[in-house]
Amino acid sequence: MASFASRLLATSRKETRPLMRLALPICGAQLAQAGMSVVDVMMTGRLGATDLAAVSVGSSLWLPLMLFMTGTLMGLTPIVAQLLGGGRTAGIRPSVHQALWIALVMGMVAAALLWVTVMPIFRLMAVPEEVAGRAAAYLAAVAFGMPGVALFQALRAFSDGMNHTRPSLWISLVGLGVNIPCNFVLIYGGEGLTGLFGDWLPGSLQALPALGALGCGIATAISMWVMGLAMIAYTRHSRAYGDVALWHSPTPPRWPLIGELLHVGVPIGVAIFVEVTLFTLIALFIASLGEITVAAHQVALNYTSILFMLPLSLGMALTVRVGNTLGQGRPDAARLVAWHGILVALAVAGLNSLLLWLTAEPVIGLYTHDSEVQRLTLTLVGLAMLYQVSDALQVNLAGALRGYKDTRIIMLITLLAYWLVGLGGGHWLGAHGLFGWIAPLGVHGYWIGLIAGLTTAAVLLGERLRRISKATNHGQIEIPAG
């Protein structure tokens, strides 16, 4: 035990800097992409409640689809990382090409789903007719961008696996920079431009129609394609990828490689989809508790989600570091790298809890001036401070396991912990209480369910990582070559 602790301390001295060097650009890219959603909501909200509702409802459909695609394509990252670590760079190009084929197909299928299924879903959800019409138009426009964002995510997974995470940051910032002016022109039209620039604006621009939610969807699709094309251009011309000539001699579909990518990636996509739907379903249950409760829940969730970006980025960086080390044929070192990442995640969780404690009141004041909403939000943020540790642990334990290409167990644990413990337990506490001993806890019950679900996930994933890292180190499990 002492030997492992001393080796872990030695690993911390040399591993912390490269881990953070990978994680911080990923965090910036995540924040930039989240910023696009914030901009969409803020800019459509200024136009009117109907357009805001249309964008909010529409986002609840396309975002889970995009995140499922993103998670599936993340299966490429540990494959590339292990190939790079083992010096088998000749195998990287065909693997990336298979991911691009998958991305194109998934992007087109996602677009078709958004075109075909939205109105039946809106009727099932009893969405008001005017909101449903505008939301359908918004989604029809966003659908055109889905293949573009899928290509971006595939190339991002490749770049991350090559230990080169900065391109996703800069290109995500470019996407945000394109999104804002496109939103302004397309949402508000000539009237909005005239209000900003005055009467000197040319008459042709003053006559532009205000497209509202539809304009927001078009701007989102444009941003998606700009990011995808920019990533293609960067990976084609940059020398950062060494002798991996990615765009030389396109590789046709190879079913064994596609099968490996889907074997590793689909469970990641399902796990992310399960997590997203957990929060979506909780929001639907809470909707019946009144507007004060809904507002407080949204404010607390939005604020804590921003802080979650750093632990999430650490988990993505940890996948790369563990994959690189395993590819070098050093399972003992990979075990140390994995557990070092978990220690860093604990430190970040402590930092996040401290930030919540110090900044909760002033930050909540930026979201709302309603005193009732502020008071209720503060109590929810107090609960959020409790789950920072389990949340940071579970996302980084999952990241380490992805480095081992052990993704199916993450999916199964996520299903159990999030839906059964988190959603089921939270709904029971919120709506029914605890077997007559405790009255129904309302929104607090749902948040206690979140804490229980995240903690369950952290415990189970921790035990899985302990077993697989030990077994791999002892040669009982062989990590397949990428």
Side-chain angles (χ1 to χ4, degrees):
M1 183 68 182
S3 174
F4 181 78
S6 61
R7 286 185 293 138
L8 187 60
L9 181 61
T11 300
S12 297
R13 295 193 187 102
K14 63 181 181 181
E15 185 64 26
T16 301
R17 182 173 293 179
L19 181 65
M20 296 304 295
R21 192 164 56 240
L22 285 174
L24 291 177
I26 294 174
C27 185
Q30 296 294 116
L31 288 170
Q33 291 175 38
M36 292 185 202
S37 298
V38 173
V39 167
D40 287 350
V41 169
M42 290 175 64
M43 296 184 80
T44 50
R46 287 181 58 195
L47 190 66
T50 304
D51 286 284
L52 174 59
V55 170
S56 299
V57 171
S59 296
S60 69
L61 293 181
W62 76 261
L63 276 172
L65 271 178
M66 190 197 74
L67 290 171
F68 173 74
M69 290 194 306
T70 300
T72 300
L73 294 166
M74 281 170 61
L76 179 63
T77 300
I79 292 173
V80 171
Q82 288 192 22
L83 288 169
L84 178 67
R88 303 185 301 276
T89 54
I92 293 175
R93 181 173 59 85
S95 291
V96 178
H97 289 177
Q98 306 316 301
L100 292 172
W101 287 117
I102 294 170
L104 278 174
V105 171
M106 291 184 73
M108 290 187 288
V109 169
L113 287 172
L114 293 178
W115 284 325
V116 172
T117 64
V118 292
M119 289 309 294
I121 292 173
F122 289 156
R123 282 193 289 270
L124 186 65
M125 295 169 63
V127 176
E129 187 175 342
E130 188 175 1
V131 173
R134 297 190 191 188
Y138 164 74
L139 287 171
V142 170
F144 282 101
M146 297 303 273
V149 78
L151 290 173
F152 167 77
Q153 295 295 354
L155 292 172
R156 177 186 175 178
F158 154 68
S159 190
D160 288 353
M162 294 290 293
N163 292 305
H164 197 43
T165 57
R166 290 184 182 178
S168 61
L169 167 60
W170 299 121
I171 292 172
S172 296
L173 289 172
V174 168
L176 179 60
V178 169
N179 184 250
I180 293 172
C182 286
N183 259 345
F184 198 92
V185 171
L186 294 167
I187 291 174
Y188 304 129
E191 185 178 341
L193 289 172
T194 302
L196 185 64
F197 295 108
D199 293 334
W200 62 266
L201 198 71
S204 58
L205 292 179
Q206 292 183 29
L208 285 173
L211 299 178
L214 171 60
C216 182
I218 296 171
T220 299
I222 291 171
S223 300
M224 288 174 171
W225 273 109
V226 166
M227 291 167 62
L229 294 173
M231 200 68 177
I232 289 172
Y234 184 86
T235 53
R236 183 179 180 85
H237 297 292
S238 175
R239 298 179 180 178
Y241 305 108
D243 59 353
V244 180
L246 186 61
W247 296 101
H248 181 268
S249 301
T251 308
R254 293 182 181 175
W255 300 115
L257 289 177
I258 287 176
E260 184 195 5
L261 276 164
L262 294 177
H263 178 80
V264 176
V266 169
I268 302 174
V270 171
I272 292 175
F273 183 81
V274 166
E275 184 175 359
V276 172
T277 52
L278 166 70
F279 288 98
T280 301
L281 290 171
I282 285 176
L284 291 174
F285 285 131
I286 288 173
S288 64
L289 301 179
E291 59 183 18
I292 298 294
T293 301
V294 171
H297 171 74
Q298 278 304 126
V299 170
L301 190 60
N302 188 266
Y303 177 34
T304 54
S305 296
I306 293 171
L307 292 179
F308 177 66
M309 292 298 179
L310 185 52
L312 173 64
S313 304
L314 276 171
M316 295 170 72
L318 192 55
T319 298
V320 178
R321 296 301 301 159
V322 171
N324 282 164
T325 312
L326 284 170
Q328 294 165 7
R330 300 163 57 215
D332 184 51
R335 183 183 178 206
L336 292 167
V337 167
W339 288 109
H340 162 260
I342 304 309
L343 292 179
V344 174
L346 280 173
V348 169
L351 175 63
N352 279 354
S353 292
L354 180 62
L355 283 172
L356 284 172
W357 183 51
L358 294 175
T359 65
E361 287 194 52
V363 169
I364 291 168
L366 295 175
Y367 280 96
T368 177
H369 297 296
D370 188 301
S371 58
E372 286 186 75
V373 175
Q374 287 180 347
R375 282 196 295 272
L376 182 54
T377 304
L378 273 174
T379 64
L380 297 179
V381 169
L383 290 173
M385 289 175 62
L386 296 177
Y387 76 59
Q388 291 303 305
V389 170
S390 54
D391 205 9
L393 281 176
Q394 63 89 19
V395 76
N396 279 273
L397 288 162
L401 286 168
R402 286 197 298 270
Y404 282 90
K405 298 183 184 176
D406 187 47
T407 57
R408 281 179 292 176
I409 195 67
I410 301 173
M411 177 181 68
L412 296 174
I413 289 173
T414 299
L415 284 166
L416 169 68
Y418 287 0
W419 278 4
L420 182 62
V421 179
L423 182 60
H427 182 59
W428 190 267
L429 288 173
H432 304 289
L434 189 62
F435 306 115
W437 301 333
I438 300 174
L441 298 175
V443 67
H444 296 97
Y446 288 98
W447 279 65
I448 292 170
L450 282 176
I451 295 172
L454 292 167
T455 302
T456 301
V459 170
L460 294 176
L461 290 170
E463 176 60 18
R464 177 64 177 179
L465 179 61
R466 185 190 71 81
R467 290 188 179 190
I468 197 168
S469 62
K470 187 175 180 180
T472 305
N473 188 38
H474 291 161
Q476 298 167 356
I477 297 178
E478 184 178 348
I479 302 299

